[in-house]
Amino acid sequence: MSENSEAAPPRRARPDAPDEAGRMSLADHLIELRKRLLISFVAVFIMTIVGFMLWKPILDFMIDPYCRLPQAREVIKGDCNLFAFDILGELGVRLKVAMIGGIILAGPIWLYQLWAFIAPGLHRKERRWAFWFIAVSFLLFVGGTAFAYYTLDKGLEFLLGIGGDRVANLVEINKYFGFVTLMLLAFGVSFEFPLILVVLNIAGVLPTQRMQSSRRIVAFGIALFAAIITPTQDPFTFAAMAGPMYIFFEAAIVFGRIRDAARRRRAENDPLAQLADDEMSQIDDRPSEIDERPSRLEDLDLDEE
């Protein structure tokens, strides 16, 4: 190339193209992932320290479903107490409470780090969908855990009263917290069910007609899932999980119907959508005016090779 030749003007990036971070090498992506994980771990660690200092309100909140039961005051009249059967039991409970509180309090931070890691590699439309996916997923998980918390006393009442009046329960505090944590996680995960169905429907993997024709199979699968994943195995908790999941399934079918109707309306207004796959569309072969063309090379919207 001669020295007098002009340098080629820079090409403009497409408005929906990924950011520069989306074109990083594998090593750069791993470095970025390490950075996001480190920030998340530091946030959880700091909030765990806060939870360790504020463990009493968190403890009262966690044992409140148990204290609402009459069986909670059978051992020590008038008092609601859980029991530790080893020397390190209370320390283990406090650390467990602090860790649960730290993960919850640091939720906005590590969720943002997750979003900041995946967003640069997405197009503008994909970024919008991914943002709503993460936001709705978080809300559904929180809704599931809240639903489990406010129905937890019913399952505990069934389990603690199944032995009759002559059996008194000394509820060990570590086992109680393990039980409550497992219940909250089980309901939080199960409430993600409708979001998975909606995503599969949008992607075309699970059409609405297939969901409608699979009601009996899905109902059996939901019942089997609820029977396996619920730690209490009592009928109330089983119904509390299986019922909302099937309602969510019907709501996903309604969403699919609305989306299919909107697609049909767009197809009716689009003449190209009515063409068969092997039918050629009409092309306007008339030449355009010269002044309608870009006057400079940098005005062209070109994709980089």
Side-chain angles (χ1 to χ4, degrees), residues 52-63:
F52 189 84
M53 294 184 294
L54 301 177
W55 79 284
K56 189 62 170 61
I58 301 175
L59 177 66
D60 294 338
F61 178 79
M62 294 289 285
I63 67 174

Side-chain angles (χ1 to χ4, degrees), residues 44 108 114 119 130 177 197 206 212 256:
V44 171
L114 173 63
F177 268 89
L197 294 178
L206 188 62
Q212 292 176 342

Side-chain angles (χ1 to χ4, degrees), residues 148-218:
Y149 178 81
Y150 287 108
T151 58
L152 189 60
D153 56 338
K154 300 298 182 181
L156 288 171
E157 183 178 9
F158 174 82
L159 294 175
L160 296 178
I162 197 172
D165 296 334
R166 299 183 63 86
V167 179
N169 287 277
L170 294 177
V171 181
E172 204 272 328
I173 189 168
N174 276 292
K175 293 183 178 179
Y176 174 81
F177 268 89
F179 167 79
V180 172
T181 303
L182 184 58
M183 282 286 294
L184 298 181
L185 289 176
F187 274 81
V189 171
S190 67
F191 271 51
E192 302 290 337
F193 180 60
L195 182 62
I196 296 174
L197 294 178
V198 168
V199 171
L200 292 177
N201 182 263
I202 293 176
V205 178
L206 188 62
T208 307
Q209 295 295 331
R210 182 176 298 177
M211 287 193 292
Q212 292 176 342
S213 62
S214 304
R215 278 191 170 96
R216 294 183 179 179
I217 299 176
V218 171

Side-chain angles (χ1 to χ4, degrees), residues 283-296:
I283 301 176
D284 187 5
D285 56 356
R286 294 174 299 176
S288 59
E289 298 293 337
I290 296 178
D291 55 3
E292 294 181 0
R293 299 177 180 177
S295 58
R296 295 183 303 173

Side-chain angles (χ1 to χ4, degrees), residues 40-284:
S40 301
F41 283 132
V42 170
V44 171
F45 178 76
I46 294 175
M47 292 302 174
T48 300
I49 296 176
V50 176
F52 189 84
M53 294 184 294
L54 301 177
W55 79 284
K56 189 62 170 61
I58 301 175
L59 177 66
D60 294 338
F61 178 79
M62 294 289 285
I63 67 174
D64 183 66
Y66 170 72
C67 291
R68 293 198 295 261
L69 303 178
Q71 293 92 334
R73 292 173 172 83
E74 288 180 350
V75 179
I76 302 177
K77 300 300 181 181
D79 292 329
C80 172
N81 290 286
L82 298 174
F83 299 89
F85 298 128
D86 58 81
I87 298 176
L88 299 178
E90 294 188 28
L91 177 61
V93 170
R94 187 161 182 175
L95 291 175
K96 187 178 297 185
V97 170
M99 184 171 295
I100 294 175
I103 294 174
I104 295 175
L105 293 175
I109 299 176
W110 56 260
L111 280 175
Y112 173 77
Q113 297 303 319
L114 173 63
W115 170 249
F117 176 72
I118 66 175
L122 301 176
H123 294 283
R124 184 179 302 172
K125 184 176 180 180
E126 295 171 340
R127 197 176 306 169
R128 184 170 64 250
W129 279 106
F131 171 80
W132 284 110
F133 177 82
I134 294 176
V136 173
S137 177
F138 177 73
L139 292 177
L140 287 174
F141 186 85
V142 172
T145 55
F147 185 79
Y149 178 81
Y150 287 108
T151 58
L152 189 60
D153 56 338
K154 300 298 182 181
L156 288 171
E157 183 178 9
F158 174 82
L159 294 175
L160 296 178
I162 197 172
D165 296 334
R166 299 183 63 86
V167 179
N169 287 277
L170 294 177
V171 181
E172 204 272 328
I173 189 168
N174 276 292
K175 293 183 178 179
Y176 174 81
F177 268 89
F179 167 79
V180 172
T181 303
L182 184 58
M183 282 286 294
L184 298 181
L185 289 176
F187 274 81
V189 171
S190 67
F191 271 51
E192 302 290 337
F193 180 60
L195 182 62
I196 296 174
L197 294 178
V198 168
V199 171
L200 292 177
N201 182 263
I202 293 176
V205 178
L206 188 62
T208 307
Q209 295 295 331
R210 182 176 298 177
M211 287 193 292
Q212 292 176 342
S213 62
S214 304
R215 278 191 170 96
R216 294 183 179 179
I217 299 176
V218 171
F220 175 78
I222 290 175
L224 183 63
F225 174 81
I228 294 175
I229 199 172
T230 50
T232 61
Q233 304 297 324
D234 65 280
F236 180 83
T237 306
F238 169 81
M241 177 175 289
M245 287 186 68
Y246 188 78
I247 294 175
F248 288 149
F249 173 70
E250 293 292 339
I253 293 179
V254 174
F255 172 84
R257 289 176 177 175
I258 296 174
R259 183 171 175 273
D260 292 344
R263 293 179 62 184
R264 285 193 296 268
R265 286 194 298 268
R266 288 196 300 267
E268 292 174 357
N269 298 328
D270 187 3
L272 296 179
Q274 302 176 8
L275 298 176
D277 294 337
D278 57 349
E279 186 177 354
M280 181 181 298
S281 60
Q282 295 183 357
I283 301 176
D284 187 5

